[in-house]
Amino acid sequence: MTIQQIKQRFGIIGNATLLNRALEVAAQVAPTDISVLVTGESGTGKEIIPQVIHQLSSRKHGEYIAVNCGAIPEGTIDSELFGHEKGAFTGASGSRKGYFEVADGGTIFLDEVAELPMQTQVRLLRVLETGEFIRVGSSKVIKTDVRVVAATNENMMEAIQKGKFREDLLYRLSTVPIQLPPLRDRQDDIHLLFRKFAHDFAEKYRMPAVKLTDEAVELILNYPWPGNIRQLKNIAEQISVIENERLLTPEILRQYLPEKHHSNLPAIVNKEKEKDEFYSDRELMYKFLFDMKNDLNELKKLVVEILNNNSDVNLSANQRDVLNKMYEDYQTDTPKSYLPSPVKRDNDYDAGKDDEIRIIEDDYEDHVEIEESLSLEDREKELIQKALEKHNGKRKYAAKELGISERTLYRKIKEFHLK
């Protein structure tokens, strides 16, 4: 059967070189029992290749079963593929044949094969190598003669490096690899496909087919089509149903084309986050304490600079007491300067006393670094205690002020033996 005959039989539209090559390889490999791995982006029509291979093979009168591996829960996929015996697991009220047993003499298409669990991959590898498998909950070996065609839109080498897929299974599946090109690499086929879809939907919904102006044709040819053929078909259907105007201009068409487009659907979540984006509850508390300590040191240095550079500063007795308390721990043999005496006021009962505030001027930063090395655990405990006292023991409000969860606060209270 020629490539053109294959296209007519299976309704394949397009004349791109890469598409023709994929169909040519499928036709050549069909008469054999070699395993085939079809790769390509999501929406490129990978599901048509297994049908071509099955229908052009000697197995065409046997069963053809398509299995979406990503849609079956991990706990039941072994049962779906290989069957199970009565009582093998909860709910197994009777024995059941799996797809490999039902499709004996036919073809199984494993779509999204990269989603198979590792345990299932081991079972599949045995089927490919020996043609044998065992039902879940059984010890009896069953023989099967099944042709396996698999498909994936993932980079299989990356999946192997991440430990998600077995390397030996990849080599068994991809005896003959077939790559389907994305729609953006089939530019000459885009308008043909749109016209085909527009005609099909016109018949389906009993309305005139939509057409594109020359400018609209240029627009769809230059659009990257991240969703490939599936996206083009969906947009053709939307326009056919929604728009009253049958001749589409670029202005109308742009309403249906997403401005932000990304390739290689479905989107993959980036798991490599910056380290500083996530902190445990303890790390958040430590970060808060370190920031508070740095702010306090900076404030102390600022006070020293202001008082040493401005001899006209007048301090009240209360202010002097606060500064004395802040600097009372810094006693060294280095030369010291003195802060200005407090202003004499009526309510300053001790303003006349000859007690002056002593501060360290030389090597200030080194001594601060040494003397301020308080235990972070003590600071954490002290902050929690103060927050609880402030809110009369109401943990909900204390946790909110501390910026932590109530659960974390409960754990800290227990850890520090607080009431």
Side-chain angles (χ1 to χ4, degrees):
M1 185 175 291
T2 65
I3 300 300
Q4 193 60 35
Q5 290 173 329
I6 293 175
K7 291 179 182 179
Q8 291 176 354
R9 179 174 177 180
F10 294 95
I12 300 173
I13 305 296
N15 295 304
T17 303
L18 295 176
L19 174 64
N20 291 339
R21 176 57 182 167
L23 294 175
E24 182 182 348
V25 173
Q28 290 177 346
V29 76
T32 71
D33 286 333
I34 297 176
S35 298
V36 177
L37 179 63
V38 185
T39 58
E41 296 178 8
S42 179
T44 52
K46 294 185 293 295
E47 65 280 355
I48 199 66
I49 298 297
Q51 297 177 27
V52 172
I53 292 174
H54 177 71
Q55 292 298 328
L56 298 184
S57 71
S58 58
R59 299 173 179 268
K60 61 183 179 181
H61 299 297
E63 290 283 344
Y64 173 81
I65 299 178
V67 183
N68 189 330
C69 301
I72 303 176
E74 183 175 343
T76 61
I77 192 165
D78 282 355
S79 173
E80 293 291 325
L81 293 178
F82 308 107
H84 64 260
E85 295 293 342
K86 180 179 179 180
F89 50 85
T90 304
S93 56
S95 61
R96 177 186 178 278
K97 291 183 178 181
Y99 296 139
F100 276 93
E101 192 170 352
V102 174
D104 186 20
T107 304
I108 285 184
F109 170 44
L110 299 178
D111 197 9
E112 298 185 30
V113 70
E115 301 299 324
L116 284 175
M118 293 299 290
Q119 179 181 352
T120 308
Q121 292 180 31
V122 176
R123 287 174 172 264
L124 178 59
L125 181 62
R126 181 181 180 185
V127 174
L128 293 173
E129 290 179 342
T130 66
E132 299 177 346
F133 67 92
I134 300 176
R135 288 183 181 179
V136 177
S138 174
S139 58
K140 180 181 178 181
V141 176
I142 301 175
K143 297 284 291 184
T144 186
D145 177 22
V146 175
R147 169 79 168 276
V148 175
V149 181
T152 182
N153 56 17
E154 291 195 25
N155 185 318
M156 297 303 289
M157 297 311 298
E158 289 184 1
I160 291 173
Q161 292 175 0
K162 294 177 182 178
K164 184 181 177 181
F165 202 82
R166 294 179 61 96
E167 187 173 7
D168 48 0
L169 177 58
L170 174 63
Y171 295 141
R172 290 293 305 182
L173 288 172
S174 61
T175 306
V176 175
I178 296 179
Q179 173 77 32
L180 277 182
L183 187 57
R184 59 181 173 273
D185 292 341
R186 299 171 52 187
Q187 196 174 51
D188 294 339
D189 296 341
I190 295 176
H191 192 204
L192 290 175
L193 287 166
F194 184 89
R195 288 165 56 189
K196 172 65 166 58
F197 295 145
H199 177 75
D200 291 345
F201 292 127
E203 289 188 349
K204 179 179 180 180
Y205 300 114
R206 298 180 181 179
M207 58 177 63
V210 293
K211 296 181 180 180
L212 302 176
T213 63
D214 293 340
E215 293 79 8
V217 171
E218 189 69 21
L219 177 60
I220 67 169
L221 294 183
N222 293 320
Y223 186 74
W225 297 108
N228 295 294
I229 299 174
R230 183 183 294 121
Q231 182 186 12
L232 179 64
K233 183 177 181 180
N234 289 344
I235 288 178
E237 184 171 15
Q238 289 179 46
I239 294 174
S240 297
V241 174
I242 297 174
E243 291 297 328
N244 293 324
E245 182 64 45
R246 297 289 92 181
L247 183 62
L248 304 180
T249 62
E251 291 72 25
I252 297 176
L253 195 56
R254 284 193 185 94
Q255 300 176 27
Y256 299 89
L257 299 178
E259 294 182 4
K260 295 182 179 180
H261 34 264
H262 305 276
S263 58
N264 298 324
L265 295 180
I268 300 175
V269 177
N270 180 17
K271 296 182 179 179
E272 297 181 0
K273 300 288 186 182
E274 293 292 334
K275 293 182 179 179
D276 292 338
E277 287 184 12
F278 299 102
Y279 293 94
S280 65
D281 292 333
R282 180 179 291 272
E283 289 170 332
L284 282 171
M285 181 64 74
Y286 285 171
K287 184 176 184 297
F288 169 74
L289 292 173
F290 277 124
D291 290 342
M292 185 176 67
K293 175 182 175 181
N294 292 334
D295 292 342
L296 182 60
N297 288 338
E298 291 297 325
L299 180 60
K300 288 182 178 181
K301 286 188 282 186
L302 180 61
V303 171
V304 170
E305 292 177 4
I306 293 175
L307 295 178
N308 285 335
N309 295 330
N310 190 352
S311 59
D312 297 331
V313 175
N314 296 321
L315 300 175
S316 67
N318 290 337
Q319 292 171 335
R320 183 194 56 192
D321 291 340
V322 171
L323 289 175
N324 269 324
K325 183 178 180 180
M326 290 176 61
Y327 295 102
E328 63 185 359
D329 295 334
Y330 302 107
Q331 304 296 333
T332 67
D333 297 331
T334 58
K336 302 176 178 60
S337 62
Y338 294 88
L339 297 175
S341 298
V343 177
K344 180 67 176 178
R345 294 174 182 163
D346 294 339
N347 60 346
D348 292 342
Y349 64 92
D350 59 348
K353 293 182 181 179
D354 189 22
D355 50 345
E356 297 170 325
I357 301 173
R358 294 171 296 177
I359 63 173
I360 299 173
E361 186 176 62
D362 299 335
D363 301 327
Y364 175 82
E365 293 183 2
D366 294 338
H367 290 290
V368 169
E369 185 66 28
I370 295 172
E371 297 295 336
E372 281 294 320
S373 59
L374 298 176
S375 169
L376 289 176
E377 185 173 318
D378 292 341
R379 287 288 186 90
E380 189 176 2
K381 181 178 179 180
E382 181 183 353
L383 285 172
I384 294 175
Q385 185 69 50
K386 288 182 177 180
L388 290 170
E389 292 175 356
K390 179 179 178 181
H391 296 282
N392 299 321
K394 295 182 179 179
R395 298 177 179 179
K396 177 179 179 182
Y397 299 106
K400 185 176 181 180
E401 179 160 328
L402 291 169
I404 60 177
S405 66
E406 289 186 60
R407 182 178 178 182
T408 301
L409 179 59
Y410 293 152
R411 178 165 53 83
K412 292 295 182 182
I413 291 173
K414 184 177 181 181
E415 180 181 339
F416 295 138
H417 304 289
L418 299 174
K419 293 183 178 179

